[in-house]
Amino acid sequence: MKSVVITGGGSGLGAALAEEYGKQYKVILIGRSITKLNSVADRLNSKGYKADCFACDITSIDEVQHVFGQLLQREDVHMLINNAGSGKFGPLEELSVDEIEAMLDTNVKGTIFTTKISLPYFKDRQEGKIMNIISTAGLRGKVNESVYCASKFAVKGFTESLVKELEGTGIQVTAVYMGGMDTPFWDHSEHIKDKSRFKTPEQVAFQIAEEDQGQPEIFIDR
Ligand SMILES: NC(=O)c1ccc[n+]([C@@H]2O[C@H](COP(=O)([O-])OP(=O)(O)OC[C@H]3O[C@@H](n4cnc5c(N)ncnc54)[C@H](OP(=O)(O)O)[C@@H]3O)[C@@H](O)[C@H]2O)c1
């Protein structure tokens, strides 16, 4: 059975995408907390899906090399969904250096590392799909979201370039843009006062899977 690797699969949109893509793939969940990953994997397996998980901090090239090296050897991986992300919000001068680095390291470097390590595998097979979960924060600047937007604009540029660089290789690359979702992403944030207008991650995951034909862009919201 072909597999999909989903980073940030232990919660929110990643867990919801696992439910959708689990209908056609074995799901390999990646994240830092093995407890969260195990609980999603157990839920999927109890529903009759096939799921496995690996703890991996995608900001560490050594961990990505080690974990992806293992799973690319033993699984028939057809798709990588770069979904893991981190967001801290507020006026720029109030963001700590650690918060700035966490956003850039996770959202930008993490996405680049997992893709870089997986590409030779996909190129050897002359097939594969890479989907990068961005945000409407990758389309326009927003108040108190400067570094988060910067990180998501970076992933937009990375993704658009790969679409061109991989043309004709059999590897499809897709950027996905969505607005707010009611997920644990906002658990420790005062940035959003009212999440009631937000979509659920299940709604967004359903729409992504419905629309996904390997095209360069999917817009859930603009
Ligand atoms: N929620 C929204 O309103 C919204 C809107 C647009 C786009 N997005 C994007 O959607 C994606 C999913 O976010 P979400 O809303 O589902 O939030 P979430 O529930 O907080 O999910 C983020 C996931 O990323 C994982 N993660 C964070 N840092 C990691 C690292 N260094 N290595 C590996 N995994 C890491 C987390 O697991 P661990 O902590 O266990 O590592 C977590 O499961 C993100 O890229 C986010 O930017 C969210």
Side-chain angles (χ1 to χ4, degrees):
M1 188 178 197
K2 288 187 176 182
S3 300
V4 57
V5 177
I6 304 178
T7 69
S11 62
L13 181 63
L17 286 167
E19 293 259 352
E20 285 299 330
Y21 283 90
K23 291 170 188 165
Q24 58 180 117
Y25 290 114
K26 175 177 176 184
V27 175
I28 315 290
L29 306 163
I30 300 285
R32 290 167 303 180
S33 158
I34 196 70
T35 314
K36 282 174 18 183
L37 296 172
N38 273 329
S39 124
V40 176
D42 287 350
R43 191 172 74 232
L44 290 169
N45 285 320
S46 72
K47 286 182 172 178
Y49 294 100
K50 289 213 173 318
D52 201 352
C53 57
F54 293 84
C56 176
D57 182 341
I58 59 163
T59 67
S60 157
I61 188 68
D62 291 343
E63 283 192 37
V64 171
Q65 245 157 357
H66 177 69
V67 170
F68 278 66
Q70 271 187 339
L71 69 87
L72 292 173
Q73 220 166 38
R74 61 164 117 130
E75 301 288 342
D76 181 8
V77 178
H78 185 245
M79 183 171 188
L80 166 65
I81 304 183
N82 284 308
N83 161 80
S86 128
K88 292 289 173 215
F89 304 97
L92 176 60
E93 66 277 17
E94 289 177 19
L95 293 178
S96 70
V97 170
D98 283 353
E99 289 170 336
I100 292 168
E101 285 180 345
M103 278 185 272
L104 297 177
D105 285 352
T106 311
N107 304 354
V108 186
K109 282 162 68 179
T111 298
I112 293 172
F113 288 165
T114 57
T115 306
K116 176 179 161 54
I117 297 299
S118 306
L119 256 188
Y121 174 93
F122 288 142
K123 280 192 172 173
D124 270 357
R125 303 175 143 222
Q126 299 180 328
E127 65 160 24
K129 290 175 75 167
I130 298 165
M131 175 180 280
N132 292 339
I133 300 301
I134 307 184
S135 164
T136 52
L139 296 173
R140 58 183 173 277
K142 304 183 189 201
V143 175
N144 290 337
E145 301 197 15
S146 58
V147 179
Y148 183 66
C149 285
S151 74
K152 293 295 185 175
F153 270 62
V155 182
K156 178 179 193 275
F158 175 64
T159 312
E160 283 181 9
S161 300
L162 281 186
V163 168
K164 295 178 180 172
E165 191 171 316
L166 298 176
E167 212 178 284
T169 61
I171 304 164
Q172 298 172 317
V173 184
T174 304
V176 187
Y177 301 95
M178 69 285 290
M181 297 176 287
D182 190 357
T183 70
F185 190 80
W186 301 110
D187 277 358
H188 305 288
S189 172
E190 295 291 306
H191 184 55
I192 299 295
K193 301 279 177 281
D194 176 18
K195 287 190 286 179
S196 63
R197 66 185 171 85
F198 279 2
K199 292 190 169 86
T200 66
E202 289 76 20
Q203 286 172 316
V204 174
F206 175 79
Q207 202 176 331
I208 292 171
E210 278 276 299
E211 292 189 21
D212 173 21
Q213 295 186 350
Q215 66 271 48
E217 291 170 324
I218 295 175
F219 293 95
I220 305 298
D221 302 292
R222 283 176 192 259

